[in-house]
Amino acid sequence: MTLKNVGGFIRDFLRDFSDRVLKTLKHLRWKMVLAGVVVGLVSGALVATYRLGIEYGTDFARWMYAQILQNMLWIVPCVVFAIVAGLFIGWMSRKESMASGSGIPQVVGYVQRGLKMCWNTILPVRFVGGLLGSLFGLSLGREGPSIQIGACGAQMMSRIFRKGDKNDTQEHYVVTAGAAAGLSAAFSAPLSGLMFAMEEVQHGLSSTVLMGAAAASICADFVSQTCFGLRPVLDFGRIPDLPMALHFWLIPLGIFAGLIGSLMNRSLLGLQTLYKYLPKWAPVSVACLIAIPVGLYLPDVLGGGSNLVKLSEYGKVSIALLCLLFIAKMLFTSTSFGCGAPGGIFMPILAVGALAGGVASRAIISIPLLGIDSKLMPIFTVCVMAGTLSASVKAPLTSILLTVEMSGTMIHTLPVAASAFIALLVSDILRTKPIYGELLERYMASNPKLVR
């Protein structure tokens, strides 16, 4: 065989191979994987920027309130700034209502119910409104907004690179992948981001969507870990194993978590209803003003509440203080979220659940006759926290996966899953509606013009 023949054979082989690769990549599932990689990198970068800004904003709020305590004259400009910032945030939220509140109901509404979503107006309101709210320490999480930011980043890429119908099924698949990337980057938890997208956004499993969302979650997690390190947001540390003989405690703990999750939903929705009696321009300013005394005298409840999770698990604090923080966090979250400011409730719900779990675990351990080791407080606390999220959001698989990912081991899957499903059962018995589903119904009822 001559050199010329060898060269022709290699050329034909490479041409056939490249044609086969290109033909394979044109299949929808591989198009979704490639789109997921791009969406994961873009959405991950957007969420990382937002996450960093919110963290700095909350740190500033704590510093500002500490300075005011040293010189109470500073409270006057703080009040004025709170009113002005509240008016501005409220004006932005009314102009682009899709960027108000959590953002998760809006994404679900876009994918499932035909809501209109415009990334180019939502992203500026999300960033500016969220950062301004964090300067006062409003009890709002960044996870819900991160999901919408990820979804908007995905829609942006879809509108830039795709031709034809801009609201078709494939764009919804890409937006679902962006939502998964958003939660993955917010928590540094790719499996939880993937499951949340399937369980809450897509409301079902599809191999095509699953592959795109998985690629987006992994890439977004890569961006997040590059920016913030390898430790997850909720690093539970070393949680002791729960002995099999004590697994019966999961029944009362699950019931308790179900009650807390149901109470949390009623508090959130109740305060949102109360705010409707105020003029449209007033709610956010009222919420910012409420944040001032809270920040001055209970700074631990400012922001999303990741600090409260660690305090509940390992902090050497009394039951009385935990009860106070629990009540304050629940009410402050309700006043912060009910006003309609851009911000989520995912992390605050986890914080409320962790505080409730801290109260329950300390109450159990404080009874000498039970003979339960104090080292088991963290596992009891984590079970109640997962159960509270499951009862409130009605997404038990996400609750279980998130807890397992944060603990870094599969050993606690059984107790966490049992608590999550028992809490979900209690929530259903009490006819508690899923918080994001109810928020979506309220949003669509008040914004009928946004339905396509």
Side-chain angles (χ1 to χ4, degrees):
M1 182 179 291
T2 65
L3 186 62
K4 184 178 180 179
N5 291 336
V6 172
F9 173 79
I10 294 175
R11 185 169 56 252
D12 293 340
F13 172 79
L14 291 176
R15 183 173 60 250
D16 292 342
F17 180 75
S18 61
D19 289 342
R20 184 175 297 184
V21 170
L22 291 175
K23 187 176 180 180
T24 302
L25 292 178
K26 288 181 180 179
H27 292 171
L28 181 58
R29 69 163 67 185
W30 291 109
K31 286 168 66 177
M32 281 302 303
V33 170
L34 293 176
V37 172
V38 176
V39 164
L41 295 175
V42 173
S43 297
L46 288 171
V47 171
T49 304
Y50 179 79
R51 176 176 162 182
L52 191 63
I54 296 297
E55 289 180 359
Y56 278 124
T58 304
D59 290 341
F60 171 81
R62 291 194 174 96
W63 174 84
M64 178 180 69
Y65 292 130
Q67 300 305 308
I68 292 175
L69 280 176
Q70 296 179 11
N71 185 356
M72 292 302 292
L73 291 177
W74 284 108
I75 200 170
V76 176
C78 182
V79 168
V80 174
F81 182 41
I83 295 173
V84 174
L87 292 174
F88 183 60
I89 295 172
W91 173 79
M92 286 193 301
S93 300
R94 291 193 302 274
K95 286 294 183 180
E96 179 48 272
S97 60
M98 284 288 283
S100 63
S102 168
I104 294 176
Q106 290 91 323
V107 174
V108 176
Y110 170 76
V111 174
Q112 298 289 337
R113 305 282 291 275
L115 282 180
K116 298 176 184 177
M117 188 171 78
C118 300
W119 66 269
N120 55 326
T121 54
I122 292 174
L123 287 178
V125 176
R126 272 288 166 207
F127 274 87
V128 177
L131 293 176
L132 277 177
S134 70
L135 296 179
F136 296 94
L138 293 179
S139 182
L140 297 171
R142 59 176 179 256
E143 292 71 29
S146 295
I147 289 172
Q148 190 180 34
I149 289 171
C152 286
Q155 188 189 50
M156 175 182 68
M157 301 309 295
S158 176
R159 298 288 170 90
I160 291 174
F161 291 107
R162 291 185 64 238
K163 299 178 181 180
D165 189 358
K166 300 302 184 182
N167 291 309
D168 60 2
T169 302
Q170 289 188 32
E171 180 168 287
H172 291 174
Y173 289 171
V174 174
V175 168
T176 300
L183 187 62
S184 173
F187 270 118
S188 294
L191 291 179
S192 302
L194 174 61
M195 181 53 65
F196 185 83
M198 297 295 102
E199 191 175 27
E200 189 67 21
V201 179
Q202 196 65 29
H203 293 170
L205 288 175
S206 164
S207 61
T208 302
V209 183
L210 189 66
M211 291 183 70
S217 292
I218 293 170
C219 291
D221 183 51
F222 169 76
V223 174
S224 177
Q225 292 191 7
T226 301
C227 296
F228 300 101
L230 299 178
R231 297 177 71 89
V233 174
L234 294 177
D235 185 10
F236 295 151
R238 177 70 178 93
I239 299 178
D241 303 336
L242 183 65
M244 292 302 297
L246 297 179
H247 271 60
F248 71 91
W249 279 106
L250 297 174
I251 298 176
L253 288 174
I255 294 173
F256 180 61
L259 295 173
I260 297 301
S262 298
L263 178 62
M264 185 72 191
N265 282 18
R266 284 162 172 77
S267 177
L268 290 167
L269 297 174
L271 264 294
Q272 187 184 58
T273 301
L274 284 178
Y275 271 121
K276 292 182 179 179
Y277 291 100
L278 296 177
K280 290 184 178 180
W281 52 266
V284 183
S285 292
V286 171
C288 290
L289 290 173
I290 291 173
I292 295 175
V294 173
L296 290 175
Y297 301 109
L298 276 176
D300 285 336
V301 302
L302 296 175
S306 57
N307 58 307
L308 295 175
V309 176
K310 283 190 176 182
L311 180 68
S312 303
E313 289 184 64
Y314 301 104
K316 296 181 179 180
V317 294
S318 64
I319 292 182
L321 179 57
L322 282 178
C323 287
L324 175 62
L325 292 173
F326 165 74
I327 295 171
K329 186 61 177 178
M330 178 178 289
L331 293 178
F332 186 40
T333 299
S334 300
T335 60
S336 298
F337 180 76
C339 70
I345 50 175
F346 205 102
M347 179 62 80
I349 291 173
L350 289 172
V352 168
L355 289 168
V359 171
S361 62
R362 282 162 176 77
I364 294 171
I365 290 168
S366 65
I367 303 175
L369 292 177
L370 298 177
I372 297 179
D373 196 332
S374 61
K375 291 188 296 185
L376 295 177
M377 278 196 305
I379 183 60
F380 285 161
T381 300
V382 167
C383 286
V384 175
M385 181 185 72
T388 301
L389 182 64
S390 175
S392 175
V393 180
K394 302 294 184 76
L397 298 181
T398 300
S399 304
I400 296 166
L401 264 182
L402 180 63
T403 306
V404 170
E405 276 194 286
M406 294 299 101
S407 63
T409 176
M410 298 290 290
I411 295 176
H412 310 297
T413 304
L414 174 59
V416 168
S419 178
F421 280 109
I422 292 171
L424 179 63
L425 175 62
V426 172
S427 180
D428 284 347
I429 292 173
L430 295 175
R431 297 180 180 179
T432 301
K433 297 179 180 179
I435 186 62
Y436 293 125
E438 182 62 19
L439 290 171
L440 175 59
E441 294 299 332
R442 290 188 174 198
Y443 180 81
M444 294 189 70
S446 59
N447 297 276
K449 294 181 179 180
L450 290 177
V451 182
R452 291 195 296 269

